[in-house]
């Protein structure tokens, strides 16, 4: 077989433009689902569980509902109606409020306004409302979002969609502009439109790939965001080499009264590339102390990360040189993708602090001969694995993971 849906890397230059035209032709002949359905994508970026459904997500289209069976077989039940009215895209990184089970997501468009819509879904999976964000004036790439008790973050960074670059410069249609400021938008979670949305301008040449967490102070006057800040990102080189930009785990503070934003690095990672931040999801939308990240000294090649770092946010705010609390070193010849945090106990009261749990994920052999499921202790950060077993089939590198509890597994079966 061969891939049916084109990837971002396939949209390079004149040949990529031709692939896009060919896909549109196949859709017009009903060989592929129509573009307007949102069902034209691979849905292979991330996975999330919500309202008794396991959803496969791909950012450029609607979620696909999957069902995992006890024998290991995964069934595709079909595309699902999203909570974003009028949008054919759905972020690969929706946020679920652990306090009320509400899912908040967004979709972005590249051809027609409004370019961004934010949708809300209640704990039972029922669409609540959609807010059109007219404040985003140009088509841009937005990969992630953040959620606090009262706000939704919209990342309006200058990674603009400019398809003419495919033909004129033989490049990808997305370009990060140094001279155009970026913006963080704060939309209230109880808003019905974007009329009172607050925007904070930041320097150009920056792109936010993945966030870790966001929260508000008790006075509701200050909002905090932790995310990876990328500068010098050129997608044309990044998709080929993976070593063209600088990543920095940063902490932003937004003063809602003074309308000011400040940014500070949490770790000193000079000479190190890092990404894929995760937290204890029980602390989503409230202050969290720890962030776990993937790290490497050499970002070249398809399997770069050979270390997992534990960042102490409180220590990093005082001194970035003290922010990296501990590091797990993978065995020689292995590298990892995103690691997920799993609490040690189902009952939060039985856990010994926020970091009492495990880091789980896949370790890939650098010669591409296979992958292993691995488990580490997230509290001690010992490099000695608690568990390791070889996967019986190929696991692609670079995609996001998710942990589903036994109760959630049973619920999605029904």
């Amino acid at each position: 077989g061969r891939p049916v849906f084109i990837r971002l890397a396939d949209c390079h230059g004149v040949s990529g433009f031709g692939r896009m035209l060919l896909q549109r032709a196949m859709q017009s002949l009903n060989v592929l689902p129509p573009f307007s359905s949102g069902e034209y994508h691979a849905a292979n970026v991330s996975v999330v569980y919500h309202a008794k459904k396991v959803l496969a997500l791909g950012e450029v289209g609607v979620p696909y509902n999957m069902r995992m069976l006890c024998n290991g077989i995964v069934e595709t039940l079909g595309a699902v109606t999203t909570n974003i009215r009028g949008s054919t895209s759905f972020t690969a990184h929706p946020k679920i409020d652990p306090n009320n089970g509400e899912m908040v997501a967004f979709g972005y468009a590249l051809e027609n306004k409004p370019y961004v819509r934010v949708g809300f879904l209640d704990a039972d999976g029922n669409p609540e409302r959609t807010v059109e964000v007219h404040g985003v004036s140009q088509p841009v790439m937005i990969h992630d979002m953040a959620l606090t008790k009262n706000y939704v973050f919209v990342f309006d960074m200058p990674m603009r969609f400019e398809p003419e670059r495919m033909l004129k410069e033989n490049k990808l249609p997305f370009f990060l502009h140094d001279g155009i400021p970026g913006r963080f938008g704060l939309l209230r979670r109880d808003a019905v439109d974007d009329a009172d949305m607050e925007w904070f301008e930041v320097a150009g040449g920056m792109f936010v790939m993945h966030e870790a967490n966001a929260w508000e102070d008790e006075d509701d006057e200050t909002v905090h965001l932790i995310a990876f800040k990328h500068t010098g990102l050129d997608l044309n080189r990044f998709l080929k080499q993976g070593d063209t930009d600088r990543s920095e785990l940063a902490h932003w503070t937004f003063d809602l009264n003074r309308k000011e934003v400040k940014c500070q690095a949490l770790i000193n990672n000079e000479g190190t590339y890092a990404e894929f931040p995760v937290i204890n999801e029980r602390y989503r939308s409230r202050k969290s102390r720890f962030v776990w990240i993937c790290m490497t000294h050499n970002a070249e090649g398809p399997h770069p990360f050979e270390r997992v770092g534990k960042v102490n946010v409180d220590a990093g705010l005082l001194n970035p040189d003290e922010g990296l609390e501990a590091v797990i070193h993978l065995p020689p010849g292995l590298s990892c993708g995103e690691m997920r945090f799993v609490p040690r106990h189902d009952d939060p009261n039985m856990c010994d602090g926020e970091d009492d749990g495990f880091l789980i994920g896949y370790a890939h052999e650098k010669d591409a001969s296979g992958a292993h499921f691995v488990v580490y202790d997230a509290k001690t950060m010992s490099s000695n694995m608690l568990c390791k077993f070889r996967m019986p089939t190929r696991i692609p590198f670079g995609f996001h993971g998710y942990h589903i509890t036994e109760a959630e597994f049973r619920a999605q079966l029904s």
Side-chain angles (χ1 to χ4, degrees), residues 120-191:
F120 300 82
L121 201 73
D122 68 20
D124 296 321
N126 302 309
E128 296 176 314
R129 68 191 182 284
T130 296
V131 177
E132 297 180 345
V133 181
H134 297 276
V136 178
S137 60
Q138 298 291 328
V140 294
M141 176 186 287
I142 308 176
H143 184 65
D144 205 347
M145 60 179 291
L147 190 70
T148 73
K149 180 179 68 174
N150 292 304
Y151 294 97
V152 180
F153 270 94
V154 174
F155 302 149
D156 181 17
M157 300 296 129
M159 179 70 79
R160 291 192 171 179
F161 177 67
E162 298 171 344
E164 63 273 13
R165 292 180 180 272
M166 300 174 70
L167 300 178
K168 293 181 179 180
E169 303 177 21
N170 199 34
K171 293 184 176 181
L172 290 169
F174 290 99
F175 183 79
L176 181 62
H177 290 267
D178 289 331
I180 300 177
R183 298 190 308 159
F184 289 99
L186 285 173
L187 174 72
R188 286 197 60 89
R189 289 176 61 175
D190 58 1

Side-chain angles (χ1 to χ4, degrees), residues 55-273:
L55 302 176
L57 310 174
E59 182 168 324
V60 295
V62 299
Y64 273 83
N65 187 13
M66 302 187 301
R67 181 166 58 196
M68 299 180 294
L69 305 180
C70 297
N71 59 5
I73 293 177
V74 178
E75 296 180 334
T76 300
L77 302 182
V80 300
T81 302
T82 75
N83 59 334
I84 309 177
R85 187 184 67 254
S87 177
T88 58
S89 70
F90 189 95
T91 177
H93 299 291
K95 307 304 175 188
I96 300 174
D97 189 328
N99 296 309
N100 61 13
E102 181 181 55
M103 174 191 279
V104 184
F106 73 92
Y108 68 91
L110 300 176
E111 298 181 3
N112 302 307
K113 293 182 178 181
Y115 293 119
V116 177
R117 292 177 170 91
V118 177
F120 300 82
L121 201 73
D122 68 20
D124 296 321
N126 302 309
E128 296 176 314
R129 68 191 182 284
T130 296
V131 177
E132 297 180 345
V133 181
H134 297 276
V136 178
S137 60
Q138 298 291 328
V140 294
M141 176 186 287
I142 308 176
H143 184 65
D144 205 347
M145 60 179 291
L147 190 70
T148 73
K149 180 179 68 174
N150 292 304
Y151 294 97
V152 180
F153 270 94
V154 174
F155 302 149
D156 181 17
M157 300 296 129
M159 179 70 79
R160 291 192 171 179
F161 177 67
E162 298 171 344
E164 63 273 13
R165 292 180 180 272
M166 300 174 70
L167 300 178
K168 293 181 179 180
E169 303 177 21
N170 199 34
K171 293 184 176 181
L172 290 169
F174 290 99
F175 183 79
L176 181 62
H177 290 267
D178 289 331
I180 300 177
R183 298 190 308 159
F184 289 99
L186 285 173
L187 174 72
R188 286 197 60 89
R189 289 176 61 175
D190 58 1
V192 295
D193 57 44
D194 70 338
D196 296 323
M197 194 168 179
E198 300 190 58
W199 293 96
F200 294 81
E201 190 172 292
V202 293
M206 181 189 77
F207 184 71
V208 176
M209 185 77 74
H210 295 116
E211 66 90 44
N213 200 13
W215 68 90
E216 304 161 38
D217 285 346
E218 293 182 0
D219 59 11
D220 294 332
E221 297 178 353
T222 305
V223 180
H224 302 264
L225 169 69
I226 297 176
F228 267 106
K229 169 185 173 183
H230 288 257
T231 54
L233 177 59
D234 183 340
L235 290 179
N236 295 278
R237 298 196 304 268
F238 181 80
L239 293 176
K240 293 181 179 180
Q241 303 167 215
D243 63 341
T244 63
D245 72 306
R246 171 177 168 78
S247 66
E248 177 184 279
L249 187 65
H251 172 272
W252 284 271
T253 303
F254 301 85
D255 189 318
L256 302 183
N257 288 329
R258 297 182 179 180
K259 310 302 180 186
E260 296 177 347
V261 56
K262 297 179 180 179
C263 181
Q264 176 185 334
L266 286 177
I267 60 174
N268 182 1
N269 64 328
E270 189 68 35
T272 299
Y273 184 85

